[in-house]
Amino acid sequence: MDKLTTCIWYNYTAEEAANFYASLLPDSRVTRVQRTPADTPSQKAGEVIVVEFEVLGQKFVGLNGGPMFPQTEAVSFMILTDSQEETDRLWNAIVGNEGAESACGWCKDKWGVNWQITPKRMMELIWDNPDPASAKRAMDAMMQMRKIDIATIERAAAAA
């Protein structure tokens, strides 16, 4: 394990979540499944307690800790996308697998982990736009969305 690895707490579904993430994104995989060698207050010996996995090459640990600490929007995976097709694929995979929509490109997977499916083009139109009025129109358009629609944001940014 690396010196610094993000640990995500799951309600006994870490292996299922890690396998889903590995199927969703390139350079993603489950690298190790650890079973508890002894009974714990919440698990019996032999049950999966830790799952090590990578998402886009970044290492994570999924801990099967139980229901005490649910996920919140305070932490999210932000995935920068290159196209509307990639945005749609990721959004639809997460929301369509018992996830939930939120605002401004945010959604939640069925394990409660929050995702920001963020087109690079949208970031350019809002944050790298030399025209403040155009950037405001782009941001105003984005604020009305759930899944991001790049063409709509581009039209808003271009409007006079």
Side-chain angles (χ1 to χ4, degrees):
M1 196 177 300
D2 288 343
K3 206 169 206 176
L4 177 66
T5 301
T6 302
C7 180
I8 304 171
W9 186 289
Y10 291 89
N11 187 8
Y12 305 116
T13 56
E15 189 172 15
E16 180 186 6
N19 283 319
F20 175 72
Y21 304 152
S23 74
L24 190 62
L25 296 157
D27 198 19
S28 301
R29 63 194 177 108
V30 174
T31 56
R32 186 173 180 196
V33 176
Q34 299 176 14
R35 298 181 181 278
T36 181
D39 288 350
T40 70
S42 62
Q43 290 184 291
K44 298 202 179 307
E47 292 181 341
V48 174
I49 192 164
V50 171
V51 179
E52 296 177 31
F53 61 99
E54 296 176 9
V55 176
L56 295 170
Q58 293 188 34
K59 295 180 181 184
F60 295 89
V61 169
L63 172 67
N64 279 333
M68 287 79 63
F69 300 110
Q71 301 294 323
T72 74
E73 286 78 2
V75 175
S76 62
F77 287 146
M78 182 179 195
I79 305 293
L80 295 176
T81 59
D82 293 318
S83 66
Q84 187 66 53
E85 294 75 25
E86 184 181 19
T87 300
D88 293 347
R89 182 185 70 78
L90 293 171
W91 179 274
N92 294 338
I94 293 166
V95 172
N97 188 39
E98 301 177 42
E101 294 185 354
S102 191
C104 305
W106 288 60
C107 58
K108 183 179 299 196
D109 67 28
K110 77 180 202 176
W111 302 281
V113 175
N114 291 274
W115 296 72
Q116 298 177 56
I117 309 303
T118 308
K120 291 177 187 174
R121 180 66 178 139
M122 179 190 80
M123 301 294 276
E124 293 168 359
L125 291 167
I126 295 173
W127 305 115
D128 298 332
N129 192 335
D131 179 350
S134 175
K136 179 187 181 318
R137 290 190 303 271
M139 185 154 192
D140 287 345
M142 182 269 302
M143 294 296 293
Q144 302 302 311
M145 298 178 180
R146 289 187 174 271
K147 178 174 65 174
I148 301 301
D149 181 323
I150 299 168
T152 298
I153 294 173
E154 287 177 330
R155 282 192 299 274

